[in-house]
Amino acid sequence: MKYIPQKIESKWQKFWQEEKLFQAKNFDKKPKKYFLVEFPYPSGDGLHVGHIRSYAALDILSRQKRMQGFNVLYPIGWDAFGLPTENYALKTGIHPTDVTKKNIKVFKKQLQLLGLSFDWSREINTTDPAYYQWTQWIFLKFFEKGLAYQSEMPINWCPSCKIGLANEEVIDGQCERCGAQTERRKIKQWMLKITEYADRLIEDLEQVDYLEKIKIQQKNWIGRSEGTEIIFKIKNSNLEVKVFTTRVDTIFGVTALVVAPEHEIIKNLEASIENIEEVKKYVETARKKSELERTDLAKEKTGVELKGIKVINPLSNEEISVWVGDYVIASYGGGAVMMVPAHDQRDFEFAKKYNLLIKQVISKTQNSKLKTQNQNSDLKTLEKVFIEDGTLVNSGQFSGLGSAEARQKINQWLENKNLGKKVIQYKLRDWIFSRQHYWGEPMPIIHCQKCGVVAVSEKDLPVKLPYVEKYEPSGTGQSPLAKINKWVNVKCPKCGGKAKRETDTMPNWAGSNWYYLAYLLGNKNLKIKNKKLAWDKEKIKYWMPVDWYNGGMEHTTLHLLYSRFVYKFLYDLGIVSQPEPYQKRTAHGMILAEDGQKMSKSRGNVINPDAIVKKYGADSLRLYEMFMGPFDQAINWNIQGLIGCFRFLNRVWELQNKLKTQNSNVKIKTKNFLFGTDQSRGEKIERLLNKTIKKISDDLEEMKFNTAVAALMILVNEMEKEKNISRDIFEKFLIIFSPFAPHFAEELWQKLGHQKSIFLARWPEVDKKYLIEDKINFVVQINGRVREIIKIKNDLSEEEIKKLVLNSEKIKKYFVGKKIKKIIFVSNKLINFVLN
Ligand code: ANZ
Ligand code: ZN
């Protein structure tokens, strides 16, 4: 019989489902393992082969760990709120609820065809009111604790479509829909105070086992930076400008002050700025640029001097000019910088362009001449900035100090004079938690004319998203919900007076902040009436933290940070029992199309997993995606590679024909296998099998799925060389192969007569004795006569042995004056030199 995946895969999928093999048991005595993959957004495009890379990888781990005696939880669900569905619904007139239902159905079928061992009994859906009542509940708690507040924040606004746009809908400053130039518009939005958790979000990274680059991403996004806030007084005015610097040691090198275009000082000094028209024009152009554009390091730095304005350097008392420049960001460090061109790259470029003084105040070496001279050295010709710490020069009483010490002393000096203080700045901003869209969780908030902002009471959750026919954008910048009068107008929960519901909805992230907790309850328990079950502390204690979380590299910044933040908040509420949700976090590389481009509908280069499964089977697809390359690196799809895996499975299939009959697997112990017998071959396979078992366990732990598959291939190659394979070895092989090609392995397993699933078998223990590189007796012949028996390691090549022999004192002599005519080599047995 041939290997025909179409004949076996659905059969075993059904069998596993019926046997409930992959249902995790709450509070089971076995040790738990919780594997988590990012749950998919059920888009209309269907499953992407990239999803499978992640799901198959953790499926392999889940299956292996179950066989190793763990109680494994490997759940899945749907992250289903979001813009693509809303847009699709607007285009087609099908309601988002129905679009979502349809997409989920397709996705679910696709996932099931892959034989992934998800616990489907715990499936969740973020758009189910029973689910999002808890997303709303978390928001209520944030509000209660003062961590949710409203603030005027800019949104991307398309003046032609009259709608707010998500960042991803703005392409090069233009509206994705109509191509019009977008603007920034300020509207009142809900914010979450993630900044209060900034330090903990950094510190607790110590406790977790994330890929190093992911930890760095988290830290960079938070962007903690220690420095000094310095007050520069404006000459002939009682106004001042505060700057933030991490290099207060360079303060004697300040040759200008640059403020952000939005800085209030421009308005406040309007009357005194001589070239105010020029300045206003500059500010106007800057307003149109995105922050990304403005901070692009490669971009030319521009600015305009505020003529007639001077500030005083608090340390040197020098008068300094003031500029407006768009490379300074308004929302960071007070929106003003002291310019030190000699020691900062951006400042250097700016100074070069506008011919400003470049004054060196930090020297690489302790330079006594500069130190004693202590005079202004004009270094306009300086070709390179010196950005490192060093020794202060030209810095008054601080000259001669090292940078670190100088920072301390200057900080002290500033603090004493009330002209500055040490501060910590973060790049991290509070999280804008409002969206002006229909397809999201409504905020559980009511605005009352009398009482102001009032929380919906917990017992009234969920605030259901009204099912309406029309959810077009309102045209005023408000969410489409604003137009649904029946829904908007309510009584105030406090005073009973006239009130209106909040019409903003939550961002896509909201539902994915806590979904790993929802799985602990499972869909069934997330009922609207089941209020007490939401946070089952015992289950949380048993299952959390997630042992291993894998997902895309594009989510290792924001989603990871947000969900860690929300988890910490739940920790502070006493709901969860430790502060980090994920013990380990990895990320898989993207799968690109054969042409190296991103797969996309418009390019027509998308690989449809269904077609692959149909033709080659799920096992080939799974195996290929694990084998295709290092897991964390992007890689091009290659159909030849997939076909190679299919062929490999066919070869493995043939191995069953080499099975010995029942009794022949009794091992005969022979001490001397000088000339190699069946047993020595058998030993060789046994040794390789044990090595492979070990290697697979090690590789899986380190995410090296590709080398694990390669090791299995090597083992198969060796087994193919055998006349016979013992049942014991073959079964062990099937078990370690089964996580990779589960249907395939189950089929061969049950063909051997097993009644129970292979996934109930025990993962084979490594027999340590086979890991020790044992030595064999190896025969060296000269012209057919045994001259020496040497003890060597297994599996040495002809070349290696030849070297050994020619260096051996005992044998060397036979070669004197002779030429090697021919070498006969039998691996692990003998070498025969034919000399003349
Ligand atoms: C003077 C100076 C001299 C600086 C020097 C650097 C080197 P991080 O580490 O990222 O926090 N800066 C401050 N506020 C800014 C803003 N709103 N927009 C753009 N740049 C700003 O960076 C802190 C440094 O970035 C600050 O230290 C300031 O330049 C600049 F040799 O001050 B520095
Ligand atoms: Zn009221």
Side-chain angles (χ1 to χ4, degrees):
M1 211 176 89
K2 277 181 61 181
Y3 167 53
I4 304 168
Q6 294 78 2
K7 275 200 177 156
I8 59 176
E9 292 190 344
S10 62
K11 173 177 72 181
W12 296 123
Q13 284 158 15
K14 236 171 86 197
F15 175 73
W16 297 329
Q17 196 65 29
E18 279 163 14
E19 299 285 311
K20 299 191 169 56
L21 274 190
F22 308 128
Q23 285 192 16
K25 294 179 195 72
N26 298 320
F27 312 119
D28 196 277
K29 283 207 183 56
K30 291 181 197 165
K32 69 95 185 178
K33 283 275 179 203
Y34 186 174
F35 293 107
L36 183 68
V37 285
E38 280 166 358
F39 61 160
Y41 176 72
S43 74
D45 295 341
L47 199 69
H48 188 281
V49 286
H51 287 118
I52 302 172
R53 202 175 189 191
S54 174
Y55 303 165
L58 264 60
D59 184 58
I60 288 168
L61 281 154
S62 294
R63 288 176 184 269
Q64 183 211 23
K65 289 296 166 204
R66 286 191 199 97
M67 289 192 276
Q68 285 181 330
F70 289 90
N71 180 26
V72 170
L73 172 55
Y74 187 39
I76 192 75
W78 316 104
D79 186 16
F81 275 131
L83 211 52
T85 302
E86 179 163 336
N87 286 341
Y88 179 83
L90 279 172
K91 220 163 44 191
T92 59
I94 310 171
H95 198 275
T97 313
D98 302 324
V99 176
T100 299
K101 254 193 211 142
K102 194 181 112 220
N103 289 347
I104 286 177
K105 225 172 130 188
V106 173
F107 261 72
K108 189 165 178 176
K109 177 130 185 283
Q110 289 186 297
L111 289 180
Q112 285 174 333
L113 281 178
L114 292 164
L116 297 161
S117 65
F118 292 127
D119 180 350
W120 285 101
S121 72
R122 295 166 185 259
E123 178 184 350
I124 51 160
N125 176 346
T126 55
T127 64
D128 183 340
Y131 183 100
Y132 69 66
Q133 68 180 333
W134 295 107
T135 313
Q136 292 173 332
W137 185 91
I138 294 173
F139 183 84
L140 278 185
K141 291 294 149 185
F142 272 123
F143 180 67
E144 225 171 70
K145 301 282 173 196
L147 293 171
Y149 64 96
Q150 282 185 293
S151 170
E152 292 265 333
M153 292 303 288
I155 57 162
N156 304 304
W157 177 254
C158 173
S160 136
C161 299
K162 293 200 179 358
I163 50 165
L165 300 171
N167 283 335
E168 59 269 23
E169 294 176 293
V170 181
I171 314 285
D172 293 331
Q174 290 172 350
C175 171
E176 189 197 39
R177 307 165 187 231
C178 73
Q181 185 70 35
T182 62
E183 296 169 1
R184 306 276 276 171
R185 221 194 216 200
K186 277 195 169 173
I187 63 166
K188 222 179 194 184
Q189 308 206 61
W190 283 97
M191 311 283 294
L192 291 187
K193 268 195 200 158
I194 189 172
T195 49
E196 278 211 355
Y197 283 70
D199 281 332
R200 286 165 66 186
L201 286 165
I202 294 174
E203 283 157 20
D204 290 352
L205 288 171
E206 300 283 327
Q207 300 180 18
V208 293
D209 169 27
Y210 293 179
L211 292 187
E212 197 49 38
K213 62 179 172 188
I214 296 178
K215 283 192 183 180
I216 290 169
Q217 269 179 314
Q218 294 280 293
K219 284 182 197 160
N220 285 348
W221 192 265
I222 299 165
R224 185 181 199 273
S225 130
E226 289 179 22
T228 313
E229 185 185 272
I230 308 175
I231 295 169
F232 280 75
K233 300 222 146 114
I234 293 167
K235 194 184 162 194
N236 300 331
S237 155
N238 47 15
L239 298 173
E240 58 191 34
V241 177
K242 285 182 183 154
V243 308
F244 171 71
T245 178
T246 47
R247 292 296 305 274
V248 73
D249 53 314
T250 64
I251 188 151
F252 286 86
V254 177
T255 57
L257 212 75
V258 188
V259 300
E262 299 85 351
H263 202 286
E264 57 178 14
I265 205 73
I266 299 173
K267 219 182 246 143
N268 294 343
L269 289 174
E270 217 180 291
S272 333
I273 300 173
E274 290 159 10
N275 56 339
I276 187 70
E277 283 319 308
E278 189 191 0
V279 170
K280 276 185 170 167
K281 223 162 112 196
Y282 180 81
V283 169
E284 190 50 39
T285 359
R287 215 172 60 88
K288 293 208 178 104
K289 293 190 201 167
S290 72
E291 189 161 306
L292 211 67
E293 249 178 289
R294 283 173 46 174
T295 48
D296 185 352
L297 287 176
K299 267 244 161 95
E300 199 182 348
K301 314 287 169 290
T302 63
V304 172
E305 187 179 353
L306 308 184
K307 295 223 168 97
I309 308 295
K310 297 278 178 202
V311 290
I312 311 293
N313 182 329
L315 271 113
S316 67
N317 282 319
E318 286 165 306
E319 276 183 19
I320 290 161
S321 62
V322 180
W323 293 65
V324 53
D326 69 5
Y327 73 95
V328 180
I329 295 306
S331 57
Y332 188 69
V337 299
M338 58 182 220
M339 230 198 42
V340 187
H343 303 292
D344 180 274
Q345 183 62 37
R346 291 170 305 181
D347 297 349
F348 181 77
E349 286 167 32
F350 195 84
K352 279 262 171 189
K353 179 160 179 186
Y354 296 108
N355 210 23
L356 297 165
L357 208 61
I358 301 173
K359 189 180 157 195
Q360 185 182 6
V361 290
I362 305 289
S363 152
K364 194 172 183 172
T365 49
Q366 224 160 341
N367 186 330
S368 53
K369 194 162 150 247
L370 274 170
K371 188 172 133 191
T372 46
Q373 251 180 351
N374 209 10
Q375 55 181 219
N376 288 356
S377 46
D378 181 348
L379 297 170
K380 254 180 213 168
T381 50
L382 205 70
E383 280 312 318
K384 250 173 69 185
V385 287
F386 177 65
I387 58 171
E388 279 141 67
D389 277 7
T391 305
L392 271 68
V393 293
N394 293 324
S395 296
Q397 61 189 103
F398 302 98
S399 292
L401 294 177
S403 286
E405 193 187 353
R407 281 195 285 271
Q408 250 178 24
K409 296 236 157 100
I410 296 173
N411 276 336
Q412 197 57 55
W413 190 95
L414 286 166
E415 243 163 74
N416 290 343
K417 307 249 154 141
N418 259 333
L419 286 169
K421 58 174 190 242
K422 275 171 82 172
V423 290
I424 296 170
Q425 283 286 336
Y426 298 89
K427 296 254 154 53
L428 183 68
R429 301 278 83 114
D430 276 345
W431 178 8
I432 303 177
F433 205 67
S434 281
R435 296 292 182 273
Q436 292 72 43
H437 288 297
Y438 170 76
W439 193 231
E441 301 88 345
M443 302 275 181
I445 293 288
I446 289 168
H447 300 273
C448 169
Q449 288 170 350
K450 239 173 71 195
C451 316
V453 182
V454 183
V456 170
S457 88
E458 271 180 46
K459 69 171 180 12
D460 293 332
L461 294 183
V463 176
K464 279 200 195 166
L465 192 62
Y467 191 98
V468 289
E469 299 295 326
K470 286 219 165 12
Y471 33 82
E472 270 84 16
S474 67
T476 60
Q478 280 180 297
S479 122
L481 292 175
K483 290 198 302 191
I484 307 169
N485 289 329
K486 249 174 80 185
W487 182 81
V488 169
N489 294 310
V490 285
K491 276 191 194 142
C492 168
K494 253 193 196 160
C495 70
K498 267 195 183 170
K500 282 183 189 299
R501 283 194 191 281
E502 170 63 58
T503 58
D504 279 355
T505 51
M506 297 186 202
N508 295 357
W509 317 97
S512 59
N513 280 327
W514 67 278
Y515 74 111
Y516 46 87
L517 291 173
Y519 287 136
L520 307 190
L521 307 160
N523 219 30
K524 302 182 293 274
N525 294 318
L526 279 173
K527 285 185 195 131
I528 289 185
K529 291 277 167 291
N530 221 344
K531 293 264 149 103
K532 265 183 264 156
L533 258 169
W535 316 113
D536 185 328
K537 288 188 190 170
E538 290 309 308
K539 280 185 191 151
I540 289 169
K541 220 180 255 165
Y542 178 81
W543 285 113
M544 292 300 288
V546 169
D547 291 276
W548 189 335
Y549 186 18
N550 186 71
M553 207 61 210
E554 68 278 18
H555 294 136
T556 49
T557 312
L558 292 183
H559 160 64
L560 199 60
L561 194 71
Y562 291 156
S563 58
R564 291 178 60 222
F565 160 55
V566 167
Y567 195 76
K568 285 183 187 306
F569 175 64
L570 294 176
Y571 176 68
D572 292 347
L573 293 181
I575 287 169
V576 300
S577 37
Q578 31 70 253
E580 284 288 332
Y582 320 117
Q583 186 49 41
K584 178 170 178 170
R585 166 75 201 206
T586 54
H588 58 278
M590 259 211 280
I591 299 182
L592 303 167
E594 297 233 8
D595 55 8
Q597 305 264 10
K598 219 175 141 167
M599 284 189 197
S600 80
K601 249 187 182 166
S602 57
R603 288 202 186 93
N605 58 5
V606 179
I607 299 291
N608 178 357
D610 295 356
I612 302 284
V613 170
K614 203 163 169 208
K615 190 153 180 207
Y616 300 99
D619 285 331
S620 288
L621 177 56
R622 295 171 54 122
L623 198 63
Y624 167 60
E625 290 210 13
M626 293 300 99
F627 186 55
M628 68 196 316
F631 187 63
D632 60 341
Q633 281 165 35
I635 190 153
N636 295 359
W637 179 265
N638 177 355
I639 191 70
Q640 289 313 320
L642 183 117
I643 293 170
C645 287
F646 177 67
R647 291 212 184 102
F648 173 70
L649 284 175
N650 277 283
R651 280 169 46 204
V652 181
W653 187 263
E654 295 304 322
L655 283 182
Q656 55 182 320
N657 299 326
K658 291 180 186 278
L659 269 188
K660 289 182 197 168
T661 46
Q662 280 307 314
N663 257 332
S664 58
N665 63 340
V666 183
K667 260 182 266 159
I668 305 159
K669 289 249 156 66
T670 44
K671 270 205 180 129
N672 195 343
F673 43 90
L674 199 58
F675 287 96
T677 59
D678 234 22
Q679 283 75 40
S680 75
R681 281 296 307 175
E683 287 249 352
K684 188 179 169 178
I685 292 292
E686 190 105 45
R687 200 180 326 115
L688 187 59
L689 173 72
N690 278 279
K691 273 191 195 161
T692 311
I693 297 171
K694 168 132 184 13
K695 181 157 173 60
I696 286 177
S697 294
D698 293 349
D699 282 359
L700 292 187
E701 208 50 50
E702 291 169 40
M703 237 170 55
K704 293 184 193 155
F705 301 96
N706 57 331
T707 54
V709 175
L712 285 161
M713 288 176 169
I714 290 170
L715 178 59
V716 167
N717 284 344
E718 287 307 315
M719 290 199 291
E720 277 179 333
K721 292 182 193 158
E722 299 295 300
K723 257 214 295 296
N724 299 307
I725 303 168
S726 77
R727 183 181 168 115
D728 180 53
I729 284 182
F730 191 63
E731 289 194 342
K732 280 183 180 155
F733 162 74
L734 280 183
I735 294 173
I736 62 172
F737 192 49
S738 67
F740 298 85
H743 314 86
F744 179 96
E746 185 79 279
E747 174 76 14
L748 291 189
W749 180 258
Q750 303 219 9
K751 271 178 85 178
L752 288 176
H754 293 281
Q755 309 280 307
K756 284 192 182 160
S757 168
I758 189 170
F759 297 102
L760 294 172
R762 283 293 296 200
W763 188 261
E765 297 287 335
V766 179
D767 191 339
K768 294 249 168 60
K769 80 167 186 257
Y770 291 111
L771 295 186
I772 306 161
E773 288 278 353
D774 49 2
K775 298 204 167 174
I776 53 162
N777 296 316
F778 192 88
V779 175
V780 183
Q781 296 178 336
I782 309 283
N783 292 330
R785 294 179 76 186
V786 177
R787 293 299 182 187
E788 164 88 286
I789 293 171
I790 52 174
K791 280 217 179 277
I792 56 165
K793 280 204 287 184
N794 275 300
D795 303 336
L796 288 189
S797 69
E798 178 177 331
E799 269 312 299
E800 288 168 307
I801 289 173
K802 194 171 142 195
K803 241 203 223 145
L804 275 176
V805 170
L806 294 179
N807 280 324
S808 150
E809 284 306 321
K810 238 173 144 181
I811 303 183
K812 252 186 189 165
K813 57 181 184 223
Y814 296 108
F815 290 89
V816 180
K818 300 268 165 77
K819 257 192 173 164
I820 301 174
K821 227 170 96 186
K822 202 172 147 194
I823 294 176
I824 299 154
F825 175 78
V826 185
S827 172
N828 286 335
K829 281 179 202 158
L830 68 85
I831 191 161
N832 181 12
F833 295 90
V834 181
L835 307 178
N836 62 5

